[in-house]
Amino acid sequence: MSMERELLLLGLLQQQDMHGYQLHEFIERYMQSCVDLKKSTAYYLLDKLAKEGLILSSEEREGNRPPRQVYKLTPAGQAHFLNLLRQNLATHLPARFPGDIGLAFADSLPLPEIHALLQTRRSALAEALAAAEQTPPHTGSLQLLIEHQIAHLQSELAWLDGVIDRLGHTKPG
Amino acid sequence: MSMERELLLLGLLQQQDMHGYQLHEFIERYMQSCVDLKKSTAYYLLDKLAKEGLILSSEEREGNRPPRQVYKLTPAGQAHFLNLLRQNLATHLPARFPGDIGLAFADSLPLPEIHALLQTRRSALAEALAAAEQTPPHTGSLQLLIEHQIAHLQSELAWLDGVIDRLGHTKPG
DNA sequence: TTTTCCATGTAACTCGTTACATGATTTC
DNA sequence: GAAATCATGTAACGAGTTACATGGAAAA
């Protein structure tokens, strides 16, 4: 499993014991900006971490709800978490921009069409930025992620505007 | 196959007929900022595109070199390419930041250590930026990708500096 | 009463990577 | 003569997704 997903699950469990459903819900709600983790994948990974001895599960039940597997870090898990964390903090992972591929081939379309298409992209981007800016403030480190997202989207928007601006006065190749 | 990889291969072949080795080399050299495509994967995908009738292969040989499969777009491939291109240009694909996961859990380490680790990350980031800035200018649209990369890395660096700055005067939670 | 929520999981599948195999050819 | 380059491919593997199955409880 990728080091990010591993770090994510161990990190959340290090803050608080949780069951799979709960973990997935939290990630979807508050961390969709940095990870995308499907429900089945979450369960699968928790199983795996348990088999590796990094977390322990214990069955709990509350009222008449379905029983849940609550996970907690083992000492080995805690140590592993800290190592992953150090590695993650010390590393810069370059981001990829799949949207650039289209730009690389934009010459294949007539200028007015490129312009219209990029305007559509711009709208989507601006909307994402507005959504991020309206996110209510969060506690501690989660707030950091939101601010990062905003800073990034602002930079993207400025860049895209520059591209659109220059579209008009390009010499045909 | 993901729409980006498909667009990438069709787009390159639309500009010029090429064989697998050549395609892979070009991508590695000039487009590593937006895609990572392994050699075997390139061959595999070309096969697949051929089976789908989007490209045609013909064997060529030059001197005593090993024979090569040179690919060219079919009319269907050309049409498909244009559709993918339109879709790509009109869409904003949100970027993910796996480096944020570590930040979300940074409270688990003592402040001086976080500081040191983030300084290491900063160095790597600054180096990537310097490398991007020293890239010799390219023709047409490829230049766009480089400029995007630079703008993005500058924004990332500014943000990271802000984070490091604020590290000192955080109240312990 | 139908839908949504809680809670977990399995089986089949796709995508992509790794590692390996081949073999001639040019460069050191 | 050894290493790197050109050129293609296969087989095995791994990670992750999709679609599905289950079943009670709460909400509409």
Side-chain angles (χ1 to χ4, degrees), chain A residues 90 92, chain B residues 117-129 157 160:
Chain A
H92 160 65
Chain B
L117 292 166
L118 286 185
Q119 280 300 341
T120 305
R121 184 193 279 201
R122 205 209 105 99
S123 298
L125 180 50
E127 215 171 301
L129 176 56
L157 191 58
L160 184 55

Side-chain angles (χ1 to χ4, degrees), chain B residues 15 23 27 39 49 55 61 68 99 109 122 148 152 158 160 163:
Chain B
Q15 294 182 343
L23 272 164
I27 293 168
K39 215 181 280 187
L49 289 174
I55 60 179
R61 50 194 73 197
R68 359 157 135 156
L109 292 174
R122 205 209 105 99
H148 188 195
H152 169 246
L160 184 55
V163 172

